[in-house]
Amino acid sequence: MAAEKELSRLRKLPENKICPNCGVKESLGFQAIVVPFKTFVCSSCKSAHQAFSHRCKSASMSNWTMDEVVRLDEQNGGGNRVAGAKWLAKVPEDRRPRPGGSQEALKHFIDMAYNKEAWLGRGDIQEEAPRRREEAPRSRDEAPRRREEAPRISEAPQVKPPAAETVDLLGEALTTTTTNSSPAGQNLLDDGFTDFLSAAPPATQSQAGGSSASAFSFVSNPQVNAAPFGDAPFDPFAPTGSGQAGSMQPQQAPNFPQPAQQQQQMQQQIQQQLQMQQQQHMQQQQPMLNMQQQQQQQQQQQQMQQQQPMFNMQQMQQQQQMQQQQMQKQREEQMAAQRRQQEEQQRRQQQEQQAVMGCRQMLQKLQAATPENVDSLSQQVEKSVMQELQKCGMQAEAVKAETMQIIQQARARCEQIVQQRVAEEQQQKEYAEAGKQLLQELSGLVGAAEQETTKLKEAAAPVMEAKDLSEEAARAAGKTVSEVAVGTKVACKACSDFVLAKLSELQRVKAPANKEIKEEQLALQLRIQECYKTVVSSTLSAKLLISKAAKKTEASAKLAKRSELFEKYDKAKNGSWSATDITTYAKGEFSYTMVLKDAQAIVHKIGGPSARSLPKEQFQKIKVAVGIHREEAASAQRRKEAEEKKAALAAKKKEVEQDIEKVSDAVTEADPAVVKAEESGKAAKEAMAAEAPDASAIEKAVEDLSGEVNTAREGLAAVRTRATDLGATELDAELKSWLAGEVKKLEMKVMAQDARLVAVCSTLERGRAFLAQQVAAELAKLKAEAGKLLRSKKLSPEELFKEGDKDEDGSLSKSEFMALLKGCEACQINDEQVDQLFAAYTGEGQDALSADELLLIARGYYVVVGDSMLTDQATIENAQSIRRLDLKEVLEILEEVKDEAVGVPRAKCRAIRDSTEGWVSVSGNNGTVFLSPTEALLEVCRPELPLTADCDPEGEVVRPLKVGERLEVLEWDKQTSAGAIRVRARVRGAASKGWATRAGPDGVPVLRMV
């Protein structure tokens, strides 16, 4: 059941509901599983896999072991997602078959993917990101944190704009001011002139001060704007008291408008100044342009020089290619000539081989030559071979020699045949003489058998001729015949044995010499058969005579006995029976009292109405009549007894019917209790179906329902007991079957009520399970809170136990445990909760916690549920990555803090897989969960798994573990010398502790993480 349950869970995983090959989706999960590739596939892909002898099993019709099911888990390289990353990692999208496509296309895809491994990948479920992405945020929640760590634009240090120099019309620098840009500032010139100045080239170095600022920097620089004084714009060219251009600082600007004529003159002067600067710029740029032209010419020359060897090399390569082409053409012509020569040679060889084969076929005729036709056949073959000899080419001499040799061998073989014939004729003569001698010996044996047969006939003659013999005379004659028949049988058997022993020697003689021998042998065998017939007929006649005499003797004895019986009851001794004699006969022989009137009726029926007695010859009829009368009397007695029995059964049936009616009333009386239990079950179901179930209300409903169920069951049990007792009543066979049917009807009514109670009990079990889950959830929450408090002390397990064990007795009492928890900062656990937690981790008969139980309470675990990275620091900023965490990986909690900079909870953890320690985010600042609390329990997958006292698997067994039991780990993975992974653990719900194997040397898990 555990294997089927786990297989059902794997089938219903989202990734396993999509066929990895064709993409077909199945909401209930696929039935077909390809065992070599550990994939869940559709029926079409299953057929394609089976076409290549890939082993496929059915999820519901096949037998599964837990080891086979565990291999299908993603952690062990199973499942469709792992298969897609391994076998189909590089498959082009246009090569993937579509649902409903042809079976041939699907077979081709399966062959390319799994047999030829055309699109094989690394097998990683998550491909490694490119190097440029490794430095990017690892998740959507870390990206905002990186952005928050970067300085905002408004908070970044402001870059001061370069100082703008104001220049007079002669190009002399007057003063340098730096002003802040203001959106409300106004430019000195109109928009058209500003665009013109913005497009002008930069000015040269000032003659007066060597400044590199342009003459119109105060106009083109967007940072230089006039700060307003009232509503009048700032004019930098307004005259000052010294006759020079005033400073551009706002506090020195005049507070009156510029005349239009002066502005026009200023613009003209500025244009002249700009033209002069452009000319100077062109003069300065001319040498640079000349230098650039020279450099370009030099570069072109260098390129030509560099490319010249390349041109030469290309010419050489072209010449070499032409030469190679010519050589290739010559080689092809030579090969063509060689091919023609080879073809001609092969043609000649074929003709020679055909001629040789023809000669050999003719030579094979000599194998069937006989002495009568060997000369003519040799001449014919020799003539034919000589005609074909010219076509044999170089093999002509060998064929000629082979022909002469075969002809000589045929003639020699025929000479041997002639000699064998002569020898066989001589041998047949000898066999014929020997056969005649054997027949003479057999003739003598047959004559002796015939003599014995004659004696047997003489002895059997009286028996054959006799018509009436006594039993003694018949037995004496039969004895004489038997004695003589023994000698006759011996003589006949001697003849038969001689024939069997010498038959092979007689069969050696062949025709025509064997004709006379066979005729004589057949005549002798017929004589032997006649002797056997005489023996059989004589013996059977003797046996029949003896049997006939014995039967006659037996009949005479019966007749005498009957006469004696008749005379015994013949009181008058007159050779006849009266009616009184018949009654006496019935009483004496059969102990039956017959009425005289009935006896007289028998006499009248047999002898006639006027008969008063019956003669001896009517004894058999008298005997039959008495028997009939006796049977009629017995039949009447049986009818009477049957009627009496029927009346007794009717009375008993009526009594039993009353009992059945009472039991039926009891069944009806039990129905209200069942109805009440159903109503309580409905109330409990409604309480559990509420959006926010009230545990106290459910507990009360479950308690009430339990009482109602017990009451109803007690009533039904009493009814069932009464029905059983009723069925055990001793009755006649006829009433027994009727009672069984009535009791069955009562039991059906009880079963119907019991079935209603089963549905109510199901609700009761769900309620109890709900309450148990609530209790377990509260206990888990309480344990997590207590563990967090104990871990906040930042002590090792030994130091933590030592701090709690005040009396140093090696255990923690309830008061010591309570004091240890109350001594933690921000402890919110009350005394009742401490009692609940203490009771959960102390077994029966224990009143204190050991160091192991305290360790289990203090420990906490997380399971990775989101893409997470293990880092070396508690804060995210400047943290360095240690390694990426896998999904479903289990981590032991060492310390928990909160990164105040980004508002993210962080935890220092130790990875169970490789004991790596580091910091990881529990959740993101936008609510994304990366780690989820877990109890890290191990569930037993293999039956009769031993729990040993030490790490050695062969050590003392504490007790065997059952499938489905869960373990709380005290010490994680230790590898044995054989390669098995062992853990020290405590059985949840029991006090048993010890070592168990988590995974075998082959890596197959025996304990599954839940």
Side-chain angles (χ1 to χ4, degrees):
M1 294 298 293
E4 295 175 358
K5 184 177 180 181
E6 178 64 14
L7 180 60
S8 177
R9 183 186 71 81
L10 294 176
R11 283 179 55 224
K12 295 179 181 178
L13 292 177
E15 59 270 19
N16 292 339
K17 291 183 180 180
I18 302 175
C19 182
N21 302 322
C22 63
V24 170
K25 296 182 180 179
E26 177 58 48
S27 58
L28 299 179
F30 295 112
Q31 284 288 332
I33 300 170
V34 186
V35 177
F37 309 109
K38 307 175 185 177
T39 54
F40 299 78
V41 299
C42 62
S43 58
S44 299
C45 292
K46 171 192 173 184
S47 301
H49 275 288
Q50 289 178 336
F52 298 102
S53 300
H54 298 163
R55 185 187 178 199
C56 298
K57 295 183 69 175
S58 172
S60 59
M61 303 299 293
S62 301
N63 294 326
W64 291 87
T65 64
M66 182 55 73
D67 290 342
E68 291 176 329
V69 174
V70 168
R71 291 190 181 97
L72 300 177
D73 198 339
E74 189 174 283
Q75 296 180 354
N76 302 316
N80 290 357
R81 185 159 58 172
V82 173
K86 180 178 180 181
W87 304 98
L88 310 174
K90 302 176 182 179
V91 58
E93 192 61 28
D94 58 346
R95 298 293 298 276
R96 188 181 292 275
R98 295 293 180 263
S102 65
Q103 193 69 13
E104 293 300 326
L106 196 55
K107 290 180 182 179
H108 178 69
F109 179 81
I110 296 296
D111 185 32
M112 293 293 293
Y114 297 97
N115 295 336
K116 299 180 181 178
E117 301 179 356
W119 305 301
L120 194 65
R122 294 178 55 191
D124 297 334
I125 297 177
Q126 297 177 350
E127 295 290 342
E128 294 185 358
R131 189 176 186 86
R132 63 177 180 271
R133 294 178 58 191
E134 291 183 354
E135 299 176 358
R138 295 297 180 183
S139 67
R140 292 178 295 179
D141 295 294
E142 292 188 8
R145 296 200 296 271
R146 295 289 180 91
R147 291 196 294 269
E148 290 176 2
E149 294 172 8
R152 296 182 176 86
I153 296 175
S154 59
E155 298 175 357
Q158 299 295 330
V159 180
K160 295 183 179 181
E165 296 181 348
T166 58
V167 187
D168 66 350
L169 295 177
L170 298 177
E172 296 179 352
L174 299 178
T175 181
T176 302
T177 60
T178 303
T179 62
N180 292 329
S181 64
S182 173
Q186 301 176 357
N187 291 329
L188 296 176
L189 306 178
D190 61 310
D191 294 339
F193 187 62
T194 302
D195 295 338
F196 168 75
L197 295 179
S198 299
T204 59
Q205 298 287 339
S206 176
Q207 296 178 359
S211 174
S212 62
S214 65
F216 47 91
S217 61
F218 66 93
V219 178
S220 62
N221 192 341
Q223 300 292 338
V224 182
N225 293 319
F229 286 84
D231 295 331
F234 168 64
D235 187 2
F237 298 97
T240 61
S242 60
Q244 298 179 353
S247 174
M248 292 180 64
Q249 298 181 1
Q251 63 272 18
Q252 297 177 2
N255 196 16
F256 51 86
Q258 182 73 23
Q261 183 178 4
Q262 190 174 356
Q263 287 183 358
Q264 185 176 5
Q265 292 177 359
M266 181 188 68
Q267 292 177 1
Q268 293 176 359
Q269 291 174 1
I270 289 175
Q271 289 178 1
Q272 294 175 2
Q273 183 72 17
L274 290 174
Q275 290 176 1
M276 292 175 62
Q277 289 180 357
Q278 289 178 0
Q279 291 177 2
Q280 292 177 2
H281 178 71
M282 292 295 294
Q283 292 175 1
Q284 291 177 357
Q285 293 293 333
Q286 189 63 37
M288 187 178 296
L289 294 174
N290 297 335
M291 186 180 297
Q292 290 179 355
Q293 292 178 356
Q294 292 178 1
Q295 290 178 354
Q296 291 177 356
Q297 292 176 358
Q298 291 177 0
Q299 289 178 359
Q300 292 177 358
Q301 293 177 359
Q302 290 177 359
Q303 290 178 358
M304 291 294 293
Q305 292 175 0
Q306 291 176 358
Q307 293 178 355
Q308 187 62 36
M310 187 180 297
F311 293 151
N312 297 336
M313 186 178 296
Q314 290 178 354
Q315 292 179 356
M316 292 176 62
Q317 290 177 353
Q318 291 177 356
Q319 293 177 358
Q320 291 177 357
Q321 290 179 356
M322 292 177 64
Q323 292 176 359
Q324 291 176 358
Q325 291 176 357
Q326 293 177 357
M327 294 174 63
Q328 180 68 20
K329 186 176 181 181
Q330 293 177 358
R331 284 196 297 269
E332 291 178 354
E333 292 177 353
Q334 293 177 358
M335 292 176 65
Q338 292 177 359
R339 282 196 299 270
R340 287 194 295 271
Q341 293 178 359
Q342 292 175 357
E343 291 174 355
E344 182 64 23
Q345 186 175 0
Q346 290 177 358
R347 187 182 61 79
R348 289 197 299 269
Q349 290 177 355
Q350 289 177 357
Q351 290 179 353
E352 292 177 0
Q353 290 176 358
Q354 291 176 357
V356 172
M357 291 298 294
C359 293
R360 288 177 176 170
Q361 288 177 358
M362 288 184 286
L363 290 174
Q364 288 179 357
K365 296 180 181 180
L366 291 173
Q367 294 180 357
T370 61
E372 290 78 12
N373 64 355
V374 64
D375 293 332
S376 60
L377 193 59
S378 298
Q379 294 176 0
Q380 182 182 355
V381 169
E382 185 176 1
K383 182 178 179 181
S384 300
V385 170
M386 291 302 175
Q387 292 177 355
E388 294 290 332
L389 201 60
Q390 297 177 356
K391 300 178 182 179
C392 293
M394 298 178 63
Q395 302 184 33
E397 293 296 329
V399 171
K400 184 178 181 180
E402 184 178 356
T403 302
M404 299 306 296
Q405 182 180 2
I406 291 175
I407 291 173
Q408 292 176 0
Q409 291 176 355
R411 289 177 175 173
R413 182 170 53 80
C414 290
E415 292 178 358
Q416 292 178 358
I417 291 173
V418 172
Q419 295 175 0
Q420 289 176 358
R421 289 177 180 176
V422 173
E424 288 178 357
E425 290 176 359
Q426 183 63 31
Q427 190 177 25
Q428 284 297 318
K429 290 180 181 180
E430 295 176 357
Y431 287 161
E433 293 294 332
K436 290 178 180 180
Q437 293 179 1
L438 292 174
L439 290 177
Q440 289 178 359
E441 294 179 9
L442 179 59
S443 177
L445 294 174
V446 172
E450 288 176 341
Q451 292 178 359
E452 294 293 331
T453 303
T454 303
K455 294 179 181 179
L456 179 61
K457 288 181 179 179
E458 294 175 355
V463 176
M464 303 292 288
E465 296 174 356
K467 294 183 179 179
D468 189 10
L469 289 177
S470 63
E471 184 177 358
E472 293 180 359
R475 293 187 181 279
K479 183 178 180 181
T480 303
V481 172
S482 298
E483 291 175 353
V484 177
V486 171
T488 307
K489 289 179 181 179
V490 171
C492 293
K493 189 174 185 304
C495 297
S496 301
D497 293 341
F498 183 85
V499 171
L500 293 175
K502 304 299 181 179
L503 183 62
S504 59
E505 296 181 11
L506 293 173
Q507 290 177 348
R508 292 183 302 178
V509 183
K510 305 297 180 182
N514 63 349
K515 182 177 180 181
E516 183 180 354
I517 294 176
K518 281 187 176 182
E519 292 177 353
E520 187 175 355
Q521 179 183 352
L522 181 59
L524 291 174
Q525 288 179 349
L526 291 175
R527 291 166 62 186
I528 295 172
Q529 290 180 1
E530 290 296 329
C531 293
Y532 271 117
K533 287 180 180 180
T534 302
V535 172
V536 172
S537 62
S538 300
T539 306
L540 287 177
S541 298
K543 287 182 179 180
L544 288 174
L545 181 63
I546 295 171
S547 176
K548 183 178 179 181
K551 289 181 179 179
K552 183 177 180 181
T553 303
E554 183 180 359
S556 300
K558 287 183 178 180
L559 185 59
K561 186 176 180 181
R562 181 178 296 179
S563 299
E564 182 180 357
L565 180 64
F566 188 85
E567 293 175 356
K568 177 181 177 181
Y569 294 101
D570 185 11
K571 292 182 179 181
K573 304 297 181 180
N574 56 0
S576 62
W577 275 6
S578 63
T580 304
D581 295 337
I582 293 175
T583 56
T584 305
Y585 165 72
K587 186 68 173 178
E589 294 297 323
F590 305 109
S591 299
Y592 171 64
T593 302
M594 180 179 289
V595 181
L596 183 60
K597 183 179 179 180
D598 295 335
Q600 290 175 352
I602 293 173
V603 172
H604 294 159
K605 186 176 183 180
I606 296 174
S610 60
R612 294 182 177 272
S613 62
L614 295 175
K616 184 177 180 181
E617 290 76 12
Q618 301 294 337
F619 178 69
Q620 181 64 26
K621 292 183 179 180
I622 296 171
K623 190 175 180 181
V624 171
V626 171
I628 292 172
H629 195 275
R630 286 175 56 221
E631 181 61 29
E632 289 176 352
S635 177
Q637 183 65 27
R638 286 195 295 270
R639 285 195 299 271
K640 182 179 180 181
E641 292 176 356
E643 291 176 356
E644 293 175 353
K645 183 178 180 181
K646 185 177 180 180
L649 288 177
K652 185 67 175 177
K653 183 176 181 180
K654 186 174 182 181
E655 181 182 350
V656 174
E657 283 177 347
Q658 294 176 355
D659 295 338
I660 292 172
E661 186 175 357
K662 293 179 182 179
V663 177
S664 179
D665 294 340
V667 173
T668 306
E669 292 172 0
D671 187 74
V674 177
V675 173
K676 192 173 182 181
E678 289 177 337
E679 293 175 353
S680 299
K682 185 177 180 180
K685 192 180 296 184
E686 291 175 354
M688 287 186 289
E691 293 183 1
D694 186 0
S696 60
I698 295 175
E699 184 176 2
K700 184 178 183 307
V702 168
E703 185 177 355
D704 295 341
L705 179 59
S706 178
E708 298 297 338
V709 169
N710 291 335
T711 302
R713 278 187 168 175
E714 289 174 359
L716 291 178
V719 173
R720 188 178 284 108
T721 302
R722 292 179 63 180
T724 303
D725 295 341
L726 184 62
T729 305
E730 294 184 1
L731 295 175
D732 189 80
E734 296 179 3
L735 286 182
K736 197 73 175 177
S737 59
W738 167 80
L739 180 60
E742 296 298 324
V743 171
K744 188 169 185 64
K745 292 178 183 179
L746 294 175
E747 290 178 350
M748 293 296 291
K749 293 181 180 180
V750 176
M751 288 174 62
Q753 293 182 344
D754 203 7
R756 292 161 60 189
L757 276 184
V758 169
V760 176
C761 290
S762 176
T763 303
L764 178 61
E765 292 300 326
R766 288 201 300 271
R768 288 173 176 171
F770 177 82
L771 294 177
Q773 289 177 358
Q774 293 291 325
V775 172
E778 292 177 2
L779 182 62
K781 183 178 179 181
L782 183 59
K783 176 186 175 298
E785 186 177 353
K788 188 173 183 180
L789 291 173
L790 295 176
R791 290 193 300 273
S792 65
K793 290 181 174 292
K794 298 182 179 180
L795 299 176
S796 66
E798 294 78 9
E799 294 172 346
L800 183 64
F801 184 78
K802 186 176 181 181
E803 180 179 342
D805 188 13
K806 300 298 183 182
D807 55 3
E808 299 182 356
D809 60 347
S811 61
L812 293 183
S813 63
K814 186 187 295 185
S815 59
E816 289 175 338
F817 179 62
M818 185 179 297
L820 182 62
L821 288 177
K822 296 294 185 181
C824 300
E825 296 182 3
C827 178
Q828 301 294 329
I829 301 177
N830 56 35
D831 295 348
E832 183 179 355
Q833 292 174 331
V834 172
D835 293 342
Q836 183 181 359
L837 186 60
F838 186 83
Y841 280 89
T842 53
E844 296 182 2
Q846 296 182 354
D847 56 356
L849 292 174
S850 65
D852 289 339
E853 278 77 22
L854 183 62
L855 175 61
L856 292 175
I857 296 174
R859 270 184 178 170
Y861 296 94
Y862 279 129
V863 60
V864 180
V865 296
D867 193 10
S868 304
M869 182 68 69
L870 199 66
T871 63
D872 60 348
Q873 295 184 19
T875 58
I876 296 177
E877 185 177 6
N878 299 326
Q880 298 294 324
S881 299
I882 297 176
R883 73 172 177 86
R884 184 176 294 279
L885 297 174
D886 297 332
L887 289 176
K888 299 183 181 180
E889 187 173 355
V890 178
L891 310 174
E892 181 184 354
I893 306 171
L894 302 177
E895 186 179 349
E896 294 180 281
V897 298
K898 186 172 183 179
D899 189 350
E900 299 295 343
V902 294
V904 172
R906 302 273 287 172
K908 184 178 182 181
C909 302
R910 179 188 298 113
I912 299 301
R913 189 183 73 182
D914 54 7
S915 301
T916 304
E917 294 185 7
W919 291 85
V920 62
S921 298
V922 180
S923 61
N925 53 12
N926 62 348
T928 302
V929 178
F930 300 122
L931 304 180
S932 177
T934 183
E935 295 184 277
L937 300 176
L938 296 178
E939 186 176 73
V940 180
C941 302
R942 182 179 297 175
E944 300 299 325
L945 181 69
L947 184 71
T948 60
D950 50 24
C951 189
D952 185 7
E954 304 298 330
E956 180 184 356
V957 177
V958 177
R959 75 175 181 88
L961 298 173
K962 300 177 182 178
V963 174
E965 283 191 309
R966 296 188 174 186
L967 308 180
E968 296 176 293
V969 179
L970 295 168
E971 294 184 36
W972 287 95
D973 303 348
K974 290 189 180 296
Q975 189 170 9
T976 64
S977 58
I981 304 299
R982 305 269 288 170
V983 294
R984 191 169 77 91
R986 173 181 180 269
V987 181
R988 174 162 253 189
S992 303
K993 290 185 287 187
W995 290 83
T997 300
R998 183 183 177 193
D1002 54 357
V1004 176
V1006 181
L1007 300 175
R1008 182 176 65 88
M1009 185 76 71
V1010 295

